[in-house]
Amino acid sequence: PKGLFTFDPGFVSTAACESKITYIDGDKGILLHRGYPIDQLAEQSDYLETCFLLLYGELPSAEEKEKFASTITRHTMLHEQLNHFFNGFRRDAHPMAVMCGVVGALSAFYHDSLDIGNEYHREVAAYRLIAKMPTIAAMVYKYSIGQPFMFPRNDLSYAGNFLHMMFATPCEEYVVNPVLERAMDRIFLLHADHEQNASTSTVRLAGSSGANPFACIAAGIAALWGPAHGGANEAVLNMLEEIGDESQIDEFVARAKDKDDPFRLMGFGHRVYKNFDPRAKVMKQTCDEVLSELGIDDPLLKIAKRLEQIAIEDPYFAERKLYPNVDFYSGIILKAIGIPTEMFTVIFATGRTPGWIAHWHEMISGPYRIGRPRQLYTGNTQRDYTPIEKR
Ligand code: SDX
């Protein structure tokens, strides 16, 4: 389909400002992907269809959707040589360190044959990244637990294939639970794009220098890792486990309000949303669905819901418009599915890939200039060198 990889002469992209991909109204809690509200996409669409929408700007026809999905499926395997790249990492390395390294290494395998000035080559790079991220994510997990890598399967859905690669072993099949498959697909979808946040701006800035898409996505993964950004979902679970019991909540809320205490309530607040993050609402509903399907009575969910209620009622948070964000409930769902805490940001990076790629392409799809954020200099005025004997 035309659209993603053809240049729109009326739209001269810039490194960090204009975009047609995602719209956020932080005060009203509105999030639109190419004009479609996130809650409608979460309820009626699926992740690969949303990937298509982000990339091409329109929802696919049934034929386009089938062709897109089958092309992605046929790019899920990794070059066999990349398997050896994992062996350079310690088994106990943080999964994001491995993910960042392996995605950057894709440049050495798939980029040399691509010319980003070529429309078709840009499309191939986009498909390869969307297809291979779940495979890499599952390999990162398998490597950390010393289990063999599982090959992707072409008979499973995108989310089902990911769960299979994560939890199947050569000795034992993993039967994909449709409720967990839908929840995993929805988690990827809710993370697919979010305008020009820290990691997406990093991808755009790297793209503005003409760097190859694999290196740009690796730069985005590095930026996402921080606890103030994509690392928050891991930090939320660690916080809930540290709170441990509803009786301890008041102490942690007091710490979050104490200016002298660096502790913040992970999963609350947002650089843009000064209202409920619309993704958090869908994530909370998905959390209830998964836990009831699995018959899990997770005490952490009770702590989370109590914390949310207190934060909404407490003037400190209400005055500062601090509401739960996308990371607040996602970790509880991922934990229920059986994914370890340290893998949460890897899941976030996997879901965010189509957004990063759509922004990367928007960045380079026509005449562009290298991004060069200006600074406000507050250092010394000019002065002469002082020889060491006079210091
Ligand atoms: C993501 O940008 C994106 O779109 C990101 C993201 C995406 O999809 O890409 O949405 C994903 O990164 C979500 C955010 C995940 N991070 C967390 O949950 C970490 C906890 N949140 C905070 O670190 C914080 O809220 C930020 C980083 C998210 C926003 O930081 P800001 O913009 O500096 O917060 P602010 O300036 O709006 O804070 C205003 C006040 C301050 O107090 P005062 O100086 O006014 O007295 O609120 C306080 C802050 O100290 N505050 C908090 C708080 N967040 C802000 N106090 C306690 N707990 C918190 N979580």
Side-chain angles (χ1 to χ4, degrees), residues 237-308:
L237 251 290
N238 294 337
M239 174 187 74
L240 293 175
E241 284 166 353
E242 188 183 357
I243 292 172
D245 181 89
E246 287 185 65
S247 63
Q248 301 303 308
I249 290 178
D250 290 342
E251 177 198 331
F252 281 84
V253 169
R255 283 185 55 195
K257 293 163 29 176
D258 178 357
K259 283 294 156 230
D260 298 328
D261 188 328
F263 174 77
R264 284 190 164 184
L265 284 186
M266 290 289 113
F268 282 84
H270 197 274
R271 289 300 274 129
V272 177
Y273 288 123
K274 300 309 172 190
N275 196 322
F276 237 86
D277 179 338
R279 301 168 296 176
K281 287 179 183 170
V282 181
M283 206 65 94
K284 183 176 178 179
Q285 175 199 337
T286 306
C287 192
D288 287 336
E289 287 168 12
V290 167
L291 295 188
S292 62
E293 165 67 18
L294 296 178
I296 295 177
D297 184 18
D298 189 341
L300 297 184
L301 181 64
K302 287 198 180 76
I303 295 172
K305 289 191 171 180
R306 180 82 190 100
L307 199 53
E308 178 188 358

Side-chain angles (χ1 to χ4, degrees), residues 130-322:
I130 292 172
K132 297 179 193 307
M133 286 294 272
T135 308
I136 294 171
M139 290 169 80
V140 165
Y141 173 59
K142 286 298 196 187
Y143 185 74
S144 73
I145 59 174
Q147 283 189 1
F149 299 142
M150 293 303 292
F151 281 111
R153 276 180 36 184
N154 292 356
D155 62 327
L156 297 176
S157 71
Y158 190 90
N161 196 18
F162 171 66
L163 292 175
H164 180 267
M165 291 188 286
M166 281 285 289
F167 300 120
T169 69
C171 330
E172 191 172 6
E173 198 32 57
Y174 172 81
V175 179
V176 179
N177 174 324
V179 173
L180 302 192
E181 181 180 20
R182 178 80 184 122
M184 194 70 245
D185 188 272
R186 192 176 284 169
I187 284 180
F188 284 143
L189 190 155
L190 291 171
H191 287 88
D193 188 50
H194 206 242
E195 201 224 70
Q196 298 192 37
N197 53 78
S199 54
T200 303
S201 300
T202 301
V203 171
R204 287 183 74 110
L205 207 50
S208 75
S209 76
N212 78 72
F214 306 100
C216 292
I217 299 302
I221 293 172
L224 186 74
W225 192 355
H229 190 12
N233 52 16
E234 179 179 355
V236 167
L237 251 290
N238 294 337
M239 174 187 74
L240 293 175
E241 284 166 353
E242 188 183 357
I243 292 172
D245 181 89
E246 287 185 65
S247 63
Q248 301 303 308
I249 290 178
D250 290 342
E251 177 198 331
F252 281 84
V253 169
R255 283 185 55 195
K257 293 163 29 176
D258 178 357
K259 283 294 156 230
D260 298 328
D261 188 328
F263 174 77
R264 284 190 164 184
L265 284 186
M266 290 289 113
F268 282 84
H270 197 274
R271 289 300 274 129
V272 177
Y273 288 123
K274 300 309 172 190
N275 196 322
F276 237 86
D277 179 338
R279 301 168 296 176
K281 287 179 183 170
V282 181
M283 206 65 94
K284 183 176 178 179
Q285 175 199 337
T286 306
C287 192
D288 287 336
E289 287 168 12
V290 167
L291 295 188
S292 62
E293 165 67 18
L294 296 178
I296 295 177
D297 184 18
D298 189 341
L300 297 184
L301 181 64
K302 287 198 180 76
I303 295 172
K305 289 191 171 180
R306 180 82 190 100
L307 199 53
E308 178 188 358
Q309 201 50 41
I310 290 173
I312 288 169
E313 291 161 359
D314 187 315
Y316 175 91
F317 298 97
E319 284 158 13
R320 291 166 175 80
K321 301 184 187 305
L322 300 176

